[in-house]
């Protein structure tokens, strides 16, 4: 009955009272780390809470009380916990790292919903979407690097506890082909996968998002560094298609200029 429980957690994570949100976030982080379930929407909620500058302001108010920092429900305690949680969770298993990567799309959607049409620099600064997506990608890349190091250790005869495999986000390949020639398998980069998610949001929801948010996403997309020679062609094709559709959907001229 985890579905009903996850639904309850999602409701608590978006509650109007910060204390309830903070407690729910700590519970969610511990359950995810324990492997009770893997859910990109719950993880996205944690990212939105972690980067919410209004909670940082609450932290500054609570910093004066050193005893309060250790109490459940304290924003400083939660921030410290999440700082350790994200990389630890991502490196815990392949499924966890894939969940981390899959959290980009719901993170964008949640931030857009929380902006609720507000189109001001102050509203945008509360959830710095560029930093959020960059953090997710860096965390995924760190886990991938640890996976490569684990593979190298095994090759050299050094045992690793739980070597990770390639991303589940990759397009499925024929089993026989994969077994015959593993070297032809291409692992999708976090930058490419995040770019696809951004382009898909711009394609489907740019008209329902504040112009400044659309511009921020378009800027991230335009500045993405993708090594096309080492990426999967089908994913590159998907990105190109989404960007083309997004250009038809976006009404904001600065955002369109960023994509050109």
């Amino acid at each position: 009955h985890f579905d009903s429980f996850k639904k309850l957690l999602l409701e608590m994570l978006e509650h109007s009272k910060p204390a309830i949100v903070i407690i729910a976030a700590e519970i969610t982080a511990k359950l995810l780390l324990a492997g009770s379930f893997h859910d990109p929407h719950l993880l996205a909620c944690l990212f939105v809470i972690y980067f919410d500058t209004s909670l940082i302001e609450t932290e500054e108010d609570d910093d004066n009380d050193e005893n309060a920092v250790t109490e459940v429900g304290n924003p400083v305690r939660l921030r410290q916990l999440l700082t350790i949680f994200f990389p630890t969770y991502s490196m815990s298993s392949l499924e966890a790292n894939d969940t981390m990567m899959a959290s980009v799309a719901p993170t964008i959607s949640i931030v857009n919903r929380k902006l609720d049409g507000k189109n001001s620099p102050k509203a945008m600064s509360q959830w710095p979407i560029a930093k959020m997506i960059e953090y997710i990608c860096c965390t995924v890349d760190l886990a991938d690097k640890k996976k490569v190091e684990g593979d190298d250790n095994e090759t050299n005869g050094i045992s690793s506890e739980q070597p990770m495999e390639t991303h589940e986000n990759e397009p499925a390949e024929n089993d026989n082909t994969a077994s015959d020639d593993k070297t032809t398998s291409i692992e999708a980069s976090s930058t490419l996968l995040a770019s696809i998610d951004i382009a898909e949001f711009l394609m489907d929801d740019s008209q329902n998002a504040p112009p400044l948010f659309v511009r921020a996403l378009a800027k991230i997309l335009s500045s993405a560094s993708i090594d096309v020679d080492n990426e999967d062609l089908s994913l590159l094709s998907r990105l190109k298609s989404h960007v083309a559709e997004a250009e038809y959907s976006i009404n904001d001229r600065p955002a369109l200029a960023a994509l050109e």
Side-chain angles (χ1 to χ4, degrees), residues 8-252:
L8 176 62
L9 282 177
L10 284 169
E11 291 175 356
M12 293 175 68
L13 288 168
E14 298 201 31
H15 201 278
S16 58
K17 294 184 178 179
I20 293 177
V21 172
I22 292 168
I23 293 172
E26 183 166 340
I27 293 170
T28 301
K30 290 180 177 179
L31 289 172
L32 285 168
L33 192 58
S36 300
F37 45 71
H38 298 283
D39 189 295
H41 290 85
L42 286 172
L43 198 55
C45 286
L46 294 185
F47 278 118
V48 171
I49 292 166
Y50 182 66
F51 280 91
D52 187 344
T53 55
S54 67
L55 283 181
I56 295 174
E57 293 170 0
T58 307
E59 288 178 22
E60 293 173 353
D61 293 337
D62 290 346
D63 269 342
N64 297 325
D65 189 351
E66 294 182 2
N67 293 326
V69 173
T70 61
E71 296 177 358
V72 176
N74 181 275
V76 179
R77 170 191 166 98
L78 176 65
R79 187 166 182 81
Q80 292 172 345
L81 185 150
L82 291 180
T83 299
I84 298 170
F85 163 75
F86 290 125
T88 303
Y89 173 73
S90 194
M91 288 186 285
S92 64
S93 69
L94 170 63
E95 188 174 5
N97 204 33
D98 284 337
T99 303
M100 181 73 67
M101 192 67 246
S103 69
V104 171
T107 295
I108 295 171
S109 296
I110 292 171
V111 171
N112 182 47
R113 187 169 69 250
K114 285 187 172 292
L115 286 172
D116 193 27
K118 299 184 186 73
N119 190 44
S120 68
K122 182 178 180 181
M124 288 296 302
S125 66
Q126 185 170 353
W127 294 283
I129 192 62
K131 289 183 179 179
M132 295 169 74
I133 293 175
E134 180 183 14
Y135 184 85
I136 293 172
C137 289
C138 287
T139 304
V140 169
D141 290 343
L142 177 62
D144 283 340
K145 182 180 178 182
K146 291 294 183 182
K147 166 230 166 182
V148 171
E149 290 175 355
D151 289 346
D152 289 343
N153 287 340
E154 282 202 336
T155 301
N156 296 326
I158 302 174
S159 174
S160 69
E161 293 179 4
Q162 278 190 323
M164 292 171 59
E165 301 169 9
T166 55
H167 284 301
E168 288 181 1
N169 304 69
E170 299 170 25
E173 296 189 20
N174 182 279
D175 291 338
N176 293 330
T177 302
S179 61
D180 291 339
D181 189 5
K182 292 184 180 179
T183 59
T184 61
S185 177
I186 300 176
E187 183 175 354
S189 70
S190 62
T191 302
L192 175 57
L193 294 173
S195 296
I196 291 173
D197 287 335
I198 294 169
E200 187 170 348
F201 176 86
L202 292 175
M203 177 180 70
D204 295 334
D205 297 308
S206 61
Q207 295 183 5
N208 300 316
L212 286 179
F213 188 59
V214 174
R215 290 176 200 174
L217 292 173
K219 186 176 180 180
I220 298 169
L221 197 56
S222 65
S223 62
S225 179
I226 299 172
D227 186 357
V228 295
D229 293 329
N230 292 303
E231 295 286 3
D232 184 274
L233 292 178
S234 65
L235 291 178
L236 288 171
S237 177
R238 188 192 307 176
L239 174 60
K240 184 178 179 180
S241 174
H242 285 357
V243 171
E245 291 287 340
E247 288 174 343
Y248 282 106
S249 300
I250 295 173
N251 295 323
D252 184 71

